[in-house]
Amino acid sequence: MASTEVRKIKRALISVYYKDNLEPVIHALAKRGVEFVSTGGTQDFIKKLGYEVIPVESLTGYPEIFGGRVKTLHPAIFGGILYRRSHGQDVAEAEAHQITGIDLVIVDLYPFEETVSKGEDHASIIEKIDIGGISLIRAAAKNFADALIVSSRSQYSELLDLVNSGGGETTLADRYRFAASAFATTSHYDTAIFNYFNQGAGLVTFRKSVQDGRVLRYGENPHQKAVFFGRLEDLFEQLNGKELSYNNLVDVDAGVALVEEFNQDTAFVIIKHTNACGAATGITVKESYLKALQADPVSAFGGILVTNKTVDESAAQEINKLFFEILVAPDFDQSALSLLQTKKNRIILKQKAKLAQEKHFKTLLNGVIEQDADRWTDTRDELKVVTQKAPSADQVEALLFASKICKHTKSNTIVLANQGQLLASGVGQTSRVDALKQAIEKAKQFGMDVAGAAMASDAFFPFPDCVEIAAGAGISSVIQPGGSVKDQDSIDACNRTGLAMVFTGRRHFRH
């Protein structure tokens, strides 16, 4: 894009909802003799700064009508923005109709998304659908050859620098860049409106838009580029450490999602490559951490640590002995934080809000696949005892604990647990039998006794082999979805070996 085609800003149309940080821009433009055109509150704002303003209605010959729904929709305004200064016919028509060029448009749109997020009534939300503003943005962006469009208050600082450095002149490259941002603004705005309406319409179409993006150092591997789209600062306050990487973000998401399964308990999870290598509940964060660490202290090295309670000094002293990448908690005692901050690269995140995704999506083949988030957590009331022997109250608690971890572990998976402690898991195996064997072997490796343990499976058992292996290892109870045409074979195997088994009726695959 060539940058030599310079345009001087002579007239600016300014109509904004928020006036924050606008004052320096007005002063800078006035200093360079720019003429102001405006409406309503923005017009009053500029006047109070001591500058003359041309009311829009003096150009259009119409007042604001229909409660402000129509203000700027008129050829005198849109002609001034859209006519091509280098096009002879356009120039002649502008002169014939006494249309003066508008070289700068500053508009921010009605706060539609904010109104929706506040839970306001439908009528109020509808009134926050901007018509004139979005039309002005599109018009100025289309005619970037001649007009500069500022479509967000976040651009005021950039505009101020541009005005001051260029003496009130803009280059084609400047205008093109701002136009691209303008179309990003309008497409995001329309997406938000569509998604609101589609809650009632149910159209099967995919529309997502995220304005904020941060370029990451690299992707899953160093040769891959990556960007995170979203506002991490709404979820976390980073208290220490280096910049989060792609893999860090993926693992933090997995850890936070798992720990949120434990609402009232003091929970601690240790994540490696999105799977829990340690998870436990206890009376204190320290107890929960030490119990979680027992399951696999080798994999915990360099892991992602997440808890749902405040980290105190006692817990921090133990955690500080481990080399880890990230620690996430809702808060930290000052003494604990000071200790944990002694390693400069160690990432410490204070979680400010819970995850809120209702949908999950990803690119697939030549498109995108989307599904509801798996928000279902198995509870005592839904369990169906299918064996002669019913699990005890303690066994039920252990089964539900194992089920929560199983739900967040890569399929095929088997999770072995006691009440409040992960003993071992087999993850991401192509065979459920292999997953169970891996879990049993791993428990032995780290001295975790599976005698009397609970076993959770993310999907049904098509054959009785897993139950038979579990019984041979001393496992005493099983939780699984059920649903196989051969469920009875596994039930019979449990009855022969004295295992208690419950069905949940819900599968938790994770790919």
Side-chain angles (χ1 to χ4, degrees):
M1 177 61 61
S3 60
T4 55
E5 296 184 42
V6 174
R7 293 285 185 268
K8 185 173 181 59
I9 302 172
K10 299 176 182 177
R11 174 178 278 193
L13 170 62
I14 307 175
S15 180
V16 298
Y17 190 87
Y18 294 108
K19 315 301 187 295
D20 314 44
N21 302 316
L22 181 62
E23 182 176 342
V25 174
I26 300 298
H27 289 313
L29 291 170
K31 183 179 179 180
R32 286 155 182 84
V34 175
E35 190 175 51
F36 298 117
V37 177
S38 192
T39 65
T42 309
Q43 178 181 329
D44 294 338
F45 178 83
I46 298 172
K47 281 185 175 181
K48 286 178 182 178
L49 295 179
Y51 303 114
E52 292 295 321
V53 185
I54 300 172
V56 163
E57 54 264 34
S58 72
L59 298 180
T60 64
Y62 280 90
E64 291 185 15
I65 54 178
F66 310 131
R69 282 189 165 197
V70 179
K71 305 176 192 175
T72 58
L73 296 170
H74 192 278
I77 301 299
F78 281 85
I81 297 169
L82 283 165
Y83 92 82
R84 293 160 289 185
R85 278 61 157 175
S86 59
H87 192 284
Q89 183 64 34
D90 283 11
V91 172
E93 289 182 5
E95 290 176 353
H97 295 288
Q98 298 182 324
I99 293 174
T100 301
I102 295 173
D103 314 295
L104 169 64
V105 176
I106 304 176
V107 175
D108 70 344
L109 299 171
Y110 290 164
F112 178 83
E113 287 180 282
E114 293 92 326
T115 306
V116 173
S117 67
K118 289 176 182 176
E120 296 193 20
D121 62 86
H122 181 68
S124 298
I125 291 170
I126 296 302
E127 286 308 308
K128 288 299 186 291
I129 298 176
D130 205 315
I131 303 300
I134 205 162
S135 301
L136 291 168
I137 291 173
R138 290 178 64 84
K142 177 176 181 177
N143 196 27
F144 68 89
D146 299 300
L148 178 70
I149 174 61
V150 177
S151 57
S152 169
R153 52 184 164 154
S154 66
Q155 296 176 307
Y156 291 170
S157 177
E158 186 179 0
L159 172 62
L160 185 60
D161 290 341
L162 191 64
V163 171
N164 288 333
S165 63
E169 295 182 335
T170 64
T171 66
L172 184 60
D174 295 328
R175 299 189 297 276
Y176 185 87
R177 185 176 69 255
F178 275 80
S181 294
F183 285 121
T185 296
T186 59
S187 63
H188 177 81
Y189 196 76
D190 283 339
T191 296
I193 295 169
F194 166 77
N195 285 330
Y196 173 76
F197 272 81
N198 203 38
Q199 294 175 52
L203 301 178
V204 182
T205 182
F206 184 81
R207 295 285 188 280
K208 301 292 179 188
S209 177
V210 182
Q211 289 283 70
D212 300 281
R214 79 164 65 175
V215 177
L216 304 176
R217 285 173 290 165
Y218 51 81
E220 199 163 7
N221 299 292
H223 62 276
Q224 295 171 272
K225 295 180 180 179
V227 180
F228 174 80
F229 293 100
R231 290 178 53 82
L232 272 181
E233 60 270 27
D234 291 345
L235 273 182
F236 304 110
E237 177 185 357
Q238 185 164 347
L239 304 176
N240 194 68
K242 58 188 179 181
E243 182 183 351
L244 287 157
S245 70
Y246 179 99
N247 292 330
N248 289 157
L249 292 169
V250 172
D251 283 337
V252 166
D253 179 71
V256 169
L258 173 54
V259 90
E260 286 184 1
E261 295 283 350
F262 305 95
N263 296 321
Q264 304 302 322
D265 300 316
T266 297
F268 204 106
V269 302
I270 304 173
I271 300 293
K272 203 66 175 289
H273 297 296
T274 74
N275 296 306
C277 60
T281 58
I283 303 300
T284 65
V285 173
K286 175 182 176 180
E287 179 191 352
S288 300
Y289 166 70
L290 290 175
K291 286 170 65 178
L293 185 63
Q294 285 181 314
D296 188 350
V298 173
S299 294
F301 183 86
I304 310 301
L305 282 52
V306 186
T307 183
N308 59 357
K309 302 294 182 184
T310 299
V311 176
D312 58 19
E313 185 175 5
S314 177
Q317 287 174 345
E318 292 296 332
I319 295 169
N320 195 52
K321 297 174 184 177
L322 177 72
F323 170 75
F324 62 89
E325 285 275 342
I326 302 173
L327 173 60
V328 183
D331 209 350
F332 300 84
D333 287 349
Q334 186 54 53
S335 57
L337 183 60
S338 297
L339 176 61
L340 294 166
Q341 287 175 325
T342 55
K343 303 289 178 64
K344 67 176 184 178
N345 287 331
R346 178 185 281 168
I347 299 170
I348 308 295
L349 299 177
K350 179 178 177 179
Q351 187 175 352
K352 301 190 292 185
K354 290 191 174 184
L355 299 178
Q357 300 104 320
E358 295 300 327
K359 299 284 186 179
H360 287 165
F361 60 90
K362 63 181 178 180
T363 58
L364 192 73
L365 300 175
N366 62 342
V368 174
I369 192 167
E370 180 184 57
Q371 65 173 350
D372 295 337
D374 185 358
R375 293 292 188 186
W376 189 267
T377 299
D378 297 326
T379 64
R380 180 187 297 269
D381 293 340
E382 284 90 24
L383 300 183
K384 179 183 178 183
V385 178
V386 295
T387 50
Q388 295 169 357
K389 184 176 182 179
S392 67
D394 286 347
Q395 285 176 320
V396 168
E397 291 303 314
L399 289 167
L400 292 174
F401 178 86
S403 176
K404 290 174 181 178
I405 299 170
C406 195
K407 171 184 168 183
H408 293 269
T409 305
K410 294 293 183 184
S411 300
N412 288 312
T413 183
I414 294 289
V415 171
L416 307 180
N418 283 329
Q419 189 175 349
Q421 185 179 30
L422 171 65
L423 300 177
S425 59
V427 304
Q429 298 301 303
T430 53
S431 159
R432 201 160 299 282
V433 171
D434 287 345
L436 174 55
K437 289 178 178 179
Q438 182 189 54
I440 293 171
E441 183 58 35
K442 196 169 187 179
K444 290 178 181 178
Q445 180 184 351
F446 295 110
M448 305 299 283
D449 186 4
V450 300
M455 177 175 79
S457 173
D458 59 337
F460 62 65
F461 298 124
F463 305 103
D465 44 11
C466 280
V467 169
E468 293 164 349
I469 294 168
I475 291 163
S476 65
S477 57
V478 181
I479 185 170
Q480 59 133 319
S484 169
V485 294
K486 295 186 176 181
D487 274 345
Q488 192 61 47
D489 291 350
S490 294
I491 294 171
D492 291 342
C494 283
N495 289 334
R496 286 196 307 270
T497 55
L499 270 68
M501 184 162 67
V502 297
F503 285 178
T504 65
R506 284 180 174 81
R507 189 181 71 188
H508 293 292
F509 267 165
R510 191 173 185 85
H511 292 99

